[in-house]
Amino acid sequence: MIARAIAAKVPFSFVAADSVYSTGEIETQLRKAGKGYVLGVASNHVFRSWGKPQPVAGTAATIAQNRPKKAWRRLSSGGGTKGPRWHDWAYLELADLEAREYNDDLAGEWTRGLLVRRNIADGSLAFFSTWCPKGTSIQKLVSVEGHRWAIEDSFETAKNELGLDHNETRSSHGWHRHVSLVMLAFAMMAVIRHRANTRPLLKKTRPRPRPKHRS
C-alpha cells in the first residue's frame, strides 16, 4: 500500500502504524522515499545507537526502564472525545544518518530514534521506531503518532454508522465497490458535520446615519 502511494505521488511527510504492521521492509521503503515514520514495535524489539556520546543497546522495554525521570515529558498527542489525550513520553535519538545513504537524490541528515509512551493511569508502555529529519521535536513525533487515533476512530464510525464491515462480497471487485461507496458516504457526512458545527461569520454592518432634525 505504501509503495503504491509513493508511486502515485500521494503527498505525505510521515507514516504512523501500530506494531501489527511490523518494521524492516516498510522502514526501508520510507527511508528511500524521504518520508518520516513513527512505527509501533514490540517490547522485545532491539535497538542500538551509534555515533552518540553514550552508547545504548537493548530491547525497547529495557531501554525505557533505564531512562531517568527527567527524560519523561507529559505531552498531548491530540484531542479526544474527552479532551486532550495526555501521556508521558520519552524520546531517545539513536543515530544521525545521511539521507543519501538510501537515495542519491536526497540530502540532509535524518535521525533514527526510539519513542516511548507511558500511560499515566497504569504505567503501561508502548514503543515506536522513528525516522525523521534531524532536529524534529518530540512534540512533532507525538502528534504524528496521535493521528492514528483519529484514523481508528474514523474506521470505527464508518463500521458502526455506515456498515463498512457489513458486506458479504466474494470478490475483490465487490469489496472495492462496497468500501468505496461507504467511504464516499463517510466523507460527505464529515463535510456536513463540519459545516453544521461551524459558526457562520457575522457580517459587519455599518451603523445607519441618524436623520437630521430641523428645528
Side-chain angles (χ1 to χ4, degrees), residues 12-16 36-38 73 75-78 89 91 110 115 130-147:
F12 67 96
S13 300
F14 279 87
V15 167
Y37 58 73
V38 180
R73 295 177 57 187
L75 300 169
S76 169
S77 57
W89 299 84
Y91 175 52
W110 286 60
L115 181 68
T130 66
W131 177 253
C132 57
K134 185 177 180 180
T136 300
S137 67
I138 181 176
Q139 180 62 72
K140 174 65 176 179
L141 297 174
V142 168
S143 298
V144 170
E145 196 283 323
H147 276 74

Side-chain angles (χ1 to χ4, degrees), residues 3-214:
R4 288 163 56 191
I6 294 173
K9 297 183 179 180
V10 175
F12 67 96
S13 300
F14 279 87
V15 167
D18 58 25
S19 57
V20 71
Y21 294 98
S22 187
T23 53
E25 182 179 351
I26 185 175
E27 289 182 300
T28 303
Q29 283 183 338
L30 293 171
R31 292 186 187 187
K32 288 181 177 180
K35 308 296 183 181
Y37 58 73
V38 180
L39 305 177
V41 296
S43 60
N44 61 353
H45 190 89
V46 176
F47 288 86
R48 292 184 178 86
S49 67
W50 58 93
K52 294 294 182 180
Q54 296 181 348
V56 175
T59 64
T62 301
I63 295 173
Q65 291 172 359
N66 293 331
R67 300 304 294 158
K69 185 177 180 180
K70 63 180 181 180
W72 296 89
R73 295 177 57 187
R74 185 155 296 181
L75 300 169
S76 169
S77 57
T81 56
K82 299 181 180 179
R85 303 192 309 277
W86 296 100
H87 293 86
D88 291 333
W89 299 84
Y91 175 52
L92 181 62
E93 296 181 350
L94 298 173
D96 296 324
L97 303 172
E98 288 289 339
R100 66 172 62 95
E101 292 186 21
Y102 299 93
N103 188 333
D104 292 335
D105 295 330
L106 301 177
E109 286 188 310
W110 286 60
T111 300
R112 159 93 157 121
L114 167 64
L115 181 68
V116 185
R117 184 186 68 206
R118 184 173 65 193
N119 189 291
I120 297 174
D122 58 17
S124 59
L125 301 176
F127 311 94
F128 305 90
S129 174
T130 66
W131 177 253
C132 57
K134 185 177 180 180
T136 300
S137 67
I138 181 176
Q139 180 62 72
K140 174 65 176 179
L141 297 174
V142 168
S143 298
V144 170
E145 196 283 323
H147 276 74
R148 285 197 312 109
W149 182 89
I151 296 170
E152 292 172 0
D153 183 65
S154 297
F155 273 110
E156 190 67 23
T157 301
K159 290 178 181 179
N160 295 335
E161 305 298 333
L162 301 172
L164 178 62
D165 56 345
H166 297 170
N167 70 88
E168 298 180 0
T169 56
R170 298 184 179 181
S171 67
S172 60
H173 292 292
W175 182 86
H176 278 287
R177 289 168 183 164
H178 174 78
V179 171
S180 298
L181 288 173
V182 170
M183 298 310 293
L184 176 60
F186 182 84
M188 292 176 61
M189 295 300 295
V191 172
I192 293 172
R193 181 177 63 179
H194 174 73
R195 291 179 177 177
N197 293 334
T198 302
R199 292 183 178 180
L201 296 176
L202 297 177
K203 295 183 179 180
K204 294 183 179 180
T205 57
R206 295 181 179 179
R208 294 181 179 180
R210 294 182 179 180
K212 295 181 179 180
H213 298 281
R214 295 181 179 180

